[in-house]
Amino acid sequence: MNDRSATHPVFICGPCVIESSENLEQVAQELVRINRVLGVDIIFKSSFDKANRTSLKSYRGPGIDKGLQMLVDIKSKYQLRILTDIHEAWQAERAGQVADVLQIPAFLCRQTDLLVAAAKTGRIVNIKKAQFLSGEDMVYAYCKATESGAREVWLTERGNCFGYNNLVVDFRNIPVMKRFCKTVIMDCTHSVQRPGAAGGKTGGDREYVPMMARAARVFGADGYFFEVHPDPDHALSDGPNMLPLDQLEDVIASLL
């Protein structure tokens, strides 16, 4: 694993949800290659459970037992740092035994017990900004984690919703959150979602992902979150807004 220099931003990349070992391996191999070529340190991201899918019939993932083991295998084989979501407080300790970064989903960023449990693991806590909150509001979620013992907290911008199956990104949220948080990430793929706009599934406009990243860079983002997939059109979650894996290197290179 490459040591990220102080001049390099944080990169978080991987498939939205764990689909199969083969899918994880394919993505991990490409991340390792990009790390070597560009001298970066990409954190591998995938979720063992997506508890906030639009429809009850939507694929959620393999669950915590199988999912964490699959992430352990990737971490061990490829020496990649791991980020995964947790949705309930009891998951924090178990996920923290595997993941280097525990992520709090946007809809859950005000859940006190969840934030406290994540903080107590000693892992980095990445809190997604809720679609219904301002950048200023995130100081309270940040303080819940830091005052509960978190050694490092990141905040992630991912746009705001006003209903009507769309999101709007106010890039001023990045410098606003940097006033009280050292590391602010831009979620370049979830920010182009069209929530619930695909007939019980989330739609999206992936062609705007590179532009979201470049705009965030201008506003001072410290890192970038990209969900990537070898074949986004056939992904089991968030395909319309995921970046094709073969485009990732060029996008990252443009941000260095």
Side-chain angles (χ1 to χ4, degrees), residues 144-172:
K144 284 180 181 180
T146 56
E147 293 173 12
S148 299
R151 65 180 179 88
E152 188 171 353
V153 177
W154 301 345
L155 297 179
T156 296
E157 167 62 32
R158 49 97 15 97
N160 285 80
C161 62
F162 301 91
Y164 309 105
N165 307 113
N166 207 352
L167 292 171
V168 176
V169 177
D170 182 347
F171 287 97
R172 294 174 298 179

Side-chain angles (χ1 to χ4, degrees), residues 4-5 13 15 18 30 33 44 65 119-120 152 169 204 209 230:
R4 179 174 57 86
S5 75
C13 307
I18 297 173
E30 178 65 1
R33 188 191 68 80
F44 185 95
D65 294 327
K120 288 183 176 179
E152 188 171 353
V169 177
V209 168

Side-chain angles (χ1 to χ4, degrees), residues 25-45:
E25 291 256 352
Q26 186 174 355
V27 174
Q29 289 168 9
E30 178 65 1
L31 298 190
V32 169
R33 188 191 68 80
I34 293 172
N35 279 343
R36 183 178 64 251
V37 171
L38 298 181
V40 292
D41 175 20
I42 303 171
I43 300 171
F44 185 95
K45 181 269 170 184

Side-chain angles (χ1 to χ4, degrees), residues 30 32 71 76 163 174 255:
E30 178 65 1
V32 169
L71 293 175
S76 175
I174 295 172
L255 298 168

Side-chain angles (χ1 to χ4, degrees), residues 149-251:
R151 65 180 179 88
E152 188 171 353
V153 177
W154 301 345
L155 297 179
T156 296
E157 167 62 32
R158 49 97 15 97
N160 285 80
C161 62
F162 301 91
Y164 309 105
N165 307 113
N166 207 352
L167 292 171
V168 176
V169 177
D170 182 347
F171 287 97
R172 294 174 298 179
N173 283 326
I174 295 172
V176 164
M177 292 191 290
K178 282 173 66 70
R179 294 172 189 165
F180 53 86
C181 180
K182 182 179 179 181
T183 303
V184 175
I185 311 293
M186 180 66 202
D187 185 338
C188 306
T189 44
H190 286 99
S191 60
V192 301
Q193 280 182 333
R194 290 187 176 271
K201 297 185 292 185
T202 290
D205 300 305
R206 74 170 72 101
E207 64 267 31
Y208 298 119
V209 168
M211 302 172 200
M212 286 289 183
R214 291 195 291 270
R217 182 185 183 192
V218 172
F219 278 86
D222 302 292
Y224 307 90
F225 180 109
F226 299 104
E227 287 193 335
V228 295
H229 195 282
D231 184 8
D233 288 335
H234 294 93
L236 299 181
S237 175
D238 273 357
N241 54 266
M242 276 202 280
L243 188 70
L245 183 61
D246 61 7
Q247 296 180 18
L248 181 62
E249 181 181 352
D250 287 343
V251 174

Side-chain angles (χ1 to χ4, degrees), residues 80-108:
L80 290 166
R81 290 192 290 166
I82 299 293
L83 177 149
T84 197
D85 299 288
I86 57 172
H87 294 83
E88 300 180 61
W90 67 268
Q91 297 174 341
E93 183 177 2
R94 290 192 59 189
Q97 294 172 6
V98 175
D100 302 274
V101 186
L102 294 179
Q103 182 164 276
I104 308 300
F107 283 125
L108 301 178

